[in-house]
Amino acid sequence: MANVSVASVSRALNGHGGVTAETQQRIREVAARLRYVPHSAARSLITRRTHTIGALLPDLHGAFFSELIRGIDLAARARGLHLLVSSSHGDAEEAATALRAMQGRVDGFLVMTPHADEAFIEQNMPTPTPAVLINTHVPGHRHAVVDIDDRGGARAMVQHLVDHGRRRIVFIAGPEANNDVRERENGYREALEANGLGANQLIINGDFSEESGFRAAQAILGMNPRPDAIFAANDMMAIGCLSALAEAGVNVPGDIAVGGFDDIPMARYVSPPLSTVRVRIAELGETAMERLAQMIESGEDMVVPPRHVAGTELVVRASCGGSAPSRRRHAPPTGA
Amino acid sequence: MANVSVASVSRALNGHGGVTAETQQRIREVAARLRYVPHSAARSLITRRTHTIGALLPDLHGAFFSELIRGIDLAARARGLHLLVSSSHGDAEEAATALRAMQGRVDGFLVMTPHADEAFIEQNMPTPTPAVLINTHVPGHRHAVVDIDDRGGARAMVQHLVDHGRRRIVFIAGPEANNDVRERENGYREALEANGLGANQLIINGDFSEESGFRAAQAILGMNPRPDAIFAANDMMAIGCLSALAEAGVNVPGDIAVGGFDDIPMARYVSPPLSTVRVRIAELGETAMERLAQMIESGEDMVVPPRHVAGTELVVRASCGGSAPSRRRHAPPTGA
DNA sequence: AACCCCCATGAAAACGTTTACGTTCCGCGC
DNA sequence: GCGCGGAACGTAAACGTTTTCATGGGGGTT
């Protein structure tokens, strides 16, 4: 102590006023000298604020989540918030457990999980805690929602293929439970229908793995008449396709054009470079975090911001045989 | 309340005994019905345990950190610990701030930052808090250290190149401040000397970016006599080399062999597939986390485990012209 | 039948803050 | 000169747990 009561210390360090500039100065000096740090638990106990937000993600693996976390972290630290991460490895029960474990430890949730259907939300999300649902099409109005424009991106890709003369476009789907996939498939369908090709729907199931893309391409090569384009629901499957096609001696994009989704860093490096749909993932995370911060600050009469949809961007490279590849060899991929 | 005092509730929920099985049962039922969750701040206040560990990383970008966090998360959740992440974007001051901000909020630190020299540690790490330093060559004995065997990995790669007849091997270094790079360079040197090639040291500086690898390769092409192998301190630079060499019409590995370090996912997909040194990153994170948990549990008379060095693994693919590429086309890369 | 010990339970202190509420002191106006 | 207002600061309550200690009751032993 520096000849002063705990109350004054609190006031001095929090800068709430009610204390002379001089004593504030003195207290701060002493605090620094003593390497005093306020006990955050005690503070949280009385303040009911933890200055921490909890992120529940389906997995922490791969470029997607890396980018997402990065965006979230960026926005969080800009606001002086801490980030508590947790992955819910596939299992819905595990996700619920993780959510419960974070309960009370955080001021708000950032939730992205395939298990987040309405019942799950209802059951496991404490009403008073603000939450932003990422990429989760739940109609509820109690939580904010931030989505990727999967449908629009898929439409753009298919439209591009159609514009360049492709007519028999196969879509390689992903795991059925996945919302993104459903939306990408919807976009595929809409684009075909918009071009009077509704009857040409060709859908093969995959599971997001390179392997499944490889197998899908083999199946496609056996189809008659042979398709002239493949649109995979993600880049890894598209890359699997490229392998299979190369192995079979099929020319890409001459014989078959290939498009993916995500624009993972690798997409630029495969041969031929993969056309794909870029999602500004870090931006998605930032937006979600910003929304959440806003909800938290709004306090009692919480305002739930309207649904936000993160745009996508068609990245044309050699694999889809469109215009000259827009890939400049040594420009770093934007946003990556 | 269920006809019982707060003390009994505490005992029932924590299972410390001192309460009838019957009442414990009853209390738990009521708690579940009321969706009661203990206030973690209050608990931390008295327990002086947060059940949270703080991870300070230099960045959250890219495959490396994605893997690292994944490993950490895995080990953390296996022990029921929460994970607070923070990136210290480059700046040492920022790292210090982040560390201070986590102070008191966590039971232990996982620190990986290029700024973690001795002074930094001394200044910013609160002595009583357990900490594990990842990939940080600080001699202090107060903290545990977990490292990558950069030197051994580099030696293995260079030895492999020498074994296959290469004699003029260029090393492309990374940012000077980086510990990994220094060690990789040491390994390079040691391997050359061990083979009586100590006089053939050829080192070019890079900065870990693809671009710098590209430029380095151009420089190398101008050297006389021309080197017959390139060993880049990381995969991205190696990939930049491949681009430059392909552009110049140089045959890889015929004219020049190329090796990288990290085994990023992309390494398998470039052309030719890149030989590299794999680091089991997730394992590194897991080990670090386990050590930390061990230190935390050991309590007052904290035992600091001895330095642990995560092994590396030479991954031979086509780019180094060794034996037939060991890459099986559709086996998923192990550990990725 | 009396005593003792142990176990289940309750009461209360403690953890380290924030904040509402007093208290003191100073300066100013009447 | 007296009173009054306001600013600076101290006192103490409150936050929700855990844990120590006290209390009571039941069962076993002598």
Side-chain angles (χ1 to χ4, degrees), chain B residues 13 205 218 223 252 291 301 335:
Chain B
L13 297 184
N205 283 319
Q218 289 179 325
M223 290 167 76
V252 176
R291 299 279 162 130
D301 47 342

Side-chain angles (χ1 to χ4, degrees), chain B residues 159-330:
Chain B
Q159 186 62 51
H160 177 84
L161 291 170
V162 171
D163 287 346
H164 289 78
R166 310 292 170 163
R167 287 295 173 270
R168 299 186 50 78
I169 305 171
V170 187
F171 179 71
I172 307 181
E176 205 158 322
N178 193 300
N179 253 309
D180 295 292
V181 168
R182 266 201 297 272
E183 284 297 292
R184 288 171 196 180
E185 187 172 326
N186 286 338
Y188 161 77
R189 230 178 251 126
E190 286 177 15
L192 285 189
E193 283 162 7
N195 288 279
L197 297 170
N200 285 16
Q201 285 179 27
L202 296 163
I203 298 181
I204 294 186
N205 283 319
D207 61 7
F208 273 173
S209 71
E210 185 199 352
E211 171 96 29
S212 76
F214 186 85
R215 282 196 308 263
Q218 289 179 325
I220 288 167
L221 289 176
M223 290 167 76
N224 192 348
R226 185 187 272 188
D228 52 14
I230 301 176
F231 174 32
N234 77 341
D235 282 349
M236 281 314 288
M237 292 195 296
I239 289 171
C241 288
L242 291 181
S243 295
L245 297 179
E247 208 164 85
V250 175
N251 182 281
V252 176
D255 300 330
I256 298 184
V258 176
F261 208 114
D262 284 346
D263 194 25
I264 61 178
M266 204 184 294
R268 294 169 56 220
Y269 294 93
V270 291
S271 165
L274 183 66
S275 290
T276 182
V277 179
R278 175 180 303 162
V279 181
R280 296 203 178 273
I281 305 170
E283 200 178 294
L284 182 74
E286 277 191 65
T287 305
M289 184 62 234
E290 274 162 19
R291 299 279 162 130
L292 184 58
Q294 186 182 327
M295 288 170 78
I296 291 173
E297 276 159 23
S298 70
E300 202 52 46
D301 47 342
M302 188 168 72
V303 326
V304 176
R307 176 161 177 267
H308 175 264
V309 178
T312 57
E313 186 183 338
L314 188 64
V315 179
V316 177
R317 300 201 180 96
S319 76
C320 73
S323 40
S326 73
R327 171 194 176 205
R328 284 177 307 132
R329 204 167 184 94
H330 296 291

Side-chain angles (χ1 to χ4, degrees), chain A residues 232-240 259-264 267 274-277:
Chain A
N234 77 340
D235 282 349
M236 281 315 288
M237 293 196 295
I239 288 171
F261 207 114
D262 284 346
D263 195 25
I264 62 179
L274 183 66
S275 290
T276 182
V277 179

